Amino acid sequence: MSHAGLPNFADLRFLIVDDFHGMRSMLRDMLRDAEAKHIDTAMHGTEAIGLLRNHKYDVVLCDFNLGDGKNGQQLLEEAKITHLIGPACAWIMITAEKTTEAVMGAVEYQPDGYLLKPITAAQLQTRLEKIWVKKRAFQEIDRALSAKDYLAAIHQCDQRIAIDKVNASELMRLKSQLLLTIGDTDRARALYEQVLAQRDLPWARTGLAKVHFQAGEYDQAAGLLRQVIDENRAYLEAYDWLARTLQKQGDVQEAAQVLERAAKLSPNSPERQKNLGELALLRGDVEAAEKAFRKSMVVGEHSVLKTPDAYLGYARVCSKKQQPGDAVKALGVLQKHFDSDEVRLRAKATEGMVYRDNHDEAKARQVAQEVVTLLENSEGKASGKAGLEAAELLLATGNKDAAVSLLQSVVRNNHDDQDLVGKVQQAFDSAGMAEEGARLVASSRKEAVDMMNTGVLLAREGKLGEAVEWMRNARAAMPSNVRVLFNFAHVALMSLQKQGHDEALVREVRLALSQANKLAPGDKRHAQLSSQLASLG
């Protein structure tokens, strides 16, 4: 039986993750003594992910070291990033690790508790009771987030903030994150400023910096982030955002220095190491790039955050060091880790450039022909980084017509991505086609904008049927244009609200939102439109 105000463990579902049978049994016995009834166990990360996909757990007790495969930090990352757990789930990391590296890594992904071995039953129960009392504040918010109803989740935050002074700070932090998620930067800015007027908290200052960053106010963002780092040396998120901001300001040197400081504090982030490698390549520091890309590959091997760019970057480093064999080997390893058409195309395009840069023109042309075959089978989907990299190889090996067509497709599908469109222009410049390229870029952008604007205009005029059909055609012509996908969903939702339920159209909206989310994870419009779709019932 529970004490007044404390949880009844018999009502909660627990997951224990530990590679040692004895530890799993000991923790299970401790929980049973506390009257817990619903207890599952997993001996490694893969088994735990399977259980998390099939059950909603209230509490996860996870060892940091899980033997071969994912460690506890990587398991927590994956559970959070893939939404296998929400804010109401209590995740407690259990470990004998006391190294700064291990502690910083776990803190970076924010478990709810951190217990050092050996653990007693009294310690465990006291910690669980304390955490669970706090977690109850987030249960309704968690339900709304599970339904992807972000507006309802924000409403639940407001209701709790009004009555729950103990958890008010964490609730406001969550609300501000949700406001950023749905793209309501004005309300997010106001909330951050309200919090900072009462108390100087690093999350609020960092959040306000993100708002400035999104508004292109890079000086203000950098100033806030420097203050956070000066006063909170271990607040790693601020280092990553400061590096991004400095890159936007064109200061690659200082951006790299900032990331190096973050990597010294917490070296096991695959994304940070990859970014460090890319900055080193931009600075021409091949040795530093090699070290960072290698580290990213090693620490990312079992992580959901591992990225093809680390392997591709390492291959480019090997090419620069005139080691084409090592580069091709790395590209082979890449394709064992990532099984997708896009990765195969990027690997082939990079392989061709490796041969070309190492003066093996015959092999470069041979690989370029393989790239053409892959493009023919891609059904127009190679229109982002993969399309750009393939086009660079085609230009370098003399297949100008195919390259130009591909670069135009890249622009049409990414017409409002200034960074990528800028790289397309650089590809034309490098091929001695600066003026022709500028004309092609401009006409391709106009083509995309005109097609999309026509659909939006029809919707504004109330011609929703025609608008949906127009945007459907735009989507077919530009299947990787995120803005087209979101505008299709927007227009279709207007039609559903006006005309009533249409199951086939609802399915189209879901598919468009899913495609957009894969292309641009975390885009604010996904959350906004998903909430609208959820509200239709």
Side-chain angles (χ1 to χ4, degrees):
M1 297 295 290
S2 66
H3 302 289
L6 295 178
N8 185 346
F9 286 175
D11 295 334
L12 305 183
R13 183 156 200 153
F14 294 83
L15 174 61
I16 298 168
V17 190
D18 199 299
D19 55 331
F20 286 105
H21 174 74
M23 192 65 187
R24 294 196 301 276
S25 297
M26 187 188 80
L27 289 170
R28 186 173 54 201
D29 291 344
M30 288 181 180
L31 291 174
R32 282 177 175 163
D33 289 344
E35 301 184 5
K37 293 180 179 176
H38 311 291
I39 306 168
D40 293 326
T41 62
M43 63 186 296
H44 48 65
T46 303
E47 186 179 9
I49 289 293
L51 288 166
L52 286 162
R53 284 196 179 115
N54 291 317
H55 304 287
K56 190 172 180 63
Y57 289 97
D58 300 298
V59 180
V60 178
L61 302 175
C62 180
D63 192 18
F64 185 86
N65 290 313
L66 298 174
D68 295 335
K70 299 178 193 302
N71 62 31
Q73 175 188 331
Q74 292 165 334
L75 182 57
L76 174 57
E77 287 169 14
E78 186 163 346
K80 285 197 168 187
I81 290 168
T82 58
H83 305 293
L84 295 176
I85 61 171
C89 175
W91 189 291
I92 299 175
M93 200 70 82
I94 299 174
T95 181
E97 288 274 355
K98 296 180 183 178
T99 62
T100 302
E101 186 175 310
V103 172
M104 289 298 295
V107 168
E108 191 163 6
Y109 293 97
Q110 296 176 335
D112 298 287
Y114 198 74
L115 286 173
L116 287 175
K117 296 177 182 176
I119 303 163
T120 67
Q123 275 180 326
L124 179 62
Q125 183 161 348
T126 301
R127 181 63 63 91
L128 282 174
E129 287 174 348
K130 187 175 179 182
I131 290 174
W132 189 248
V133 166
K134 185 175 183 180
K135 284 293 174 181
R136 281 190 303 203
F138 296 87
Q139 287 179 340
E140 292 302 320
I141 301 167
D142 205 0
R143 289 191 187 96
L145 289 177
S146 295
K148 298 189 184 304
D149 193 341
Y150 299 95
L151 297 177
I154 290 169
H155 178 65
Q156 289 295 336
C157 285
D158 284 333
Q159 288 197 321
R160 288 296 311 184
I161 289 168
I163 60 173
D164 188 347
K165 301 304 178 191
V166 173
N167 295 304
S169 177
E170 196 158 339
L171 286 161
M172 284 196 280
R173 181 178 185 174
L174 179 56
K175 180 187 172 183
S176 63
Q177 290 170 342
L178 291 170
L179 288 171
L180 285 183
T181 300
I182 66 167
D184 195 340
T185 51
D186 288 342
R187 288 175 67 196
R189 183 193 293 258
L191 183 53
Y192 288 129
E193 289 174 345
Q194 177 193 337
V195 171
L196 289 169
Q198 298 171 7
R199 192 177 170 194
D200 190 1
L201 294 169
W203 63 261
R205 199 172 286 280
T206 303
L208 186 57
K210 291 180 194 175
V211 172
H212 284 300
F213 181 93
Q214 289 184 10
E217 299 160 355
Y218 302 126
D219 288 345
Q220 293 94 324
L224 286 166
L225 292 163
R226 285 195 173 98
Q227 285 178 33
V228 173
I229 293 169
D230 286 345
E231 295 166 12
N232 306 272
R233 179 177 165 270
Y235 203 81
L236 293 164
E237 187 183 14
Y239 290 84
D240 294 328
W241 276 94
L242 179 56
R244 288 179 67 179
T245 306
L246 290 166
Q247 270 193 273
K248 285 289 185 183
Q249 293 178 310
D251 193 341
V252 174
Q253 188 72 29
E254 189 181 350
Q257 290 170 355
V258 169
L259 278 190
E260 284 169 0
R261 288 166 60 196
K264 280 182 183 173
L265 289 169
S266 180
N268 292 332
S269 163
E271 181 76 8
R272 185 175 300 124
Q273 292 290 351
K274 183 268 293 178
N275 291 339
L276 200 50
E278 290 179 340
L279 284 171
L281 269 187
L282 284 174
R283 292 184 295 127
D285 189 340
V286 175
E287 296 303 323
E290 180 179 12
K291 182 181 175 186
F293 286 133
R294 272 185 185 275
K295 182 73 176 177
S296 179
M297 291 188 291
V298 170
V299 298
E301 183 176 0
H302 301 292
S303 169
V304 71
L305 294 172
K306 69 181 174 184
T307 165
D309 290 292
Y311 295 84
L312 293 164
Y314 181 71
R316 287 196 292 273
V317 166
C318 292
S319 181
K320 285 181 181 295
K321 295 179 73 173
Q322 299 182 320
Q323 298 168 345
D326 289 344
V328 173
K329 187 178 176 182
L331 295 171
V333 175
L334 162 67
Q335 293 174 83
K336 289 179 182 174
H337 282 281
F338 299 90
D339 181 20
S340 75
D341 291 342
E342 181 182 358
V343 168
R344 273 187 285 278
L345 181 59
R346 294 188 70 190
K348 272 295 166 193
T350 303
E351 182 184 345
M353 291 302 284
V354 168
Y355 289 130
R356 189 253 187 188
D357 292 343
N358 284 272
H359 313 296
D360 191 338
E361 300 293 341
K363 276 194 174 178
R365 285 195 295 275
Q366 179 187 329
V367 173
Q369 190 53 47
E370 293 176 41
V371 164
V372 170
T373 302
L374 288 172
L375 287 168
E376 288 171 351
N377 296 328
S378 73
E379 300 177 350
K381 294 176 183 174
S383 47
K385 275 186 185 177
L388 173 62
E389 290 164 2
E392 287 172 333
L393 174 63
L394 295 176
L395 280 173
T397 52
N399 194 341
K400 177 183 171 184
D401 290 344
V404 167
S405 175
L406 190 51
L407 289 172
Q408 287 180 290
S409 174
V410 170
V411 174
R412 282 195 298 272
N413 279 281
N414 304 276
H415 70 280
D416 56 358
D417 185 337
Q418 293 184 1
D419 287 344
L420 190 57
V421 172
K423 288 177 181 174
V424 169
Q425 183 61 53
Q426 287 172 15
F428 280 125
D429 295 349
S430 298
M433 300 169 60
E435 290 187 12
E436 182 184 357
R439 286 196 298 275
L440 289 167
V441 166
S443 65
S444 300
R445 290 184 83 165
K446 185 174 185 306
E447 186 182 345
V449 171
D450 288 349
M451 197 165 189
M452 196 163 43
N453 285 350
T454 301
V456 174
L457 188 60
L458 286 167
R460 286 179 183 164
E461 292 173 352
K463 299 173 182 176
L464 292 173
E466 290 177 57
V468 169
E469 191 58 30
W470 190 274
M471 290 308 303
R472 190 178 278 135
N473 291 334
R475 186 180 154 206
M478 297 176 279
S480 300
N481 189 314
V482 174
R483 196 163 164 187
V484 167
L485 292 168
F486 283 132
N487 279 356
F488 168 77
H490 173 65
V491 169
L493 284 167
M494 288 175 68
S495 178
L496 287 165
Q497 287 164 349
K498 184 82 173 178
Q499 312 290 349
H501 187 76
D502 178 338
E503 186 55 35
L505 190 53
V506 168
R507 283 199 297 272
E508 281 188 89
V509 173
R510 285 199 186 109
L511 183 58
L513 289 176
S514 173
Q515 288 173 320
N517 197 40
K518 284 180 186 172
L519 291 165
D523 190 295
K524 61 187 180 184
R525 290 166 292 182
H526 183 266
Q528 290 170 333
L529 294 165
S530 294
S531 283
Q532 287 183 33
L533 181 61
S535 69
L536 291 177

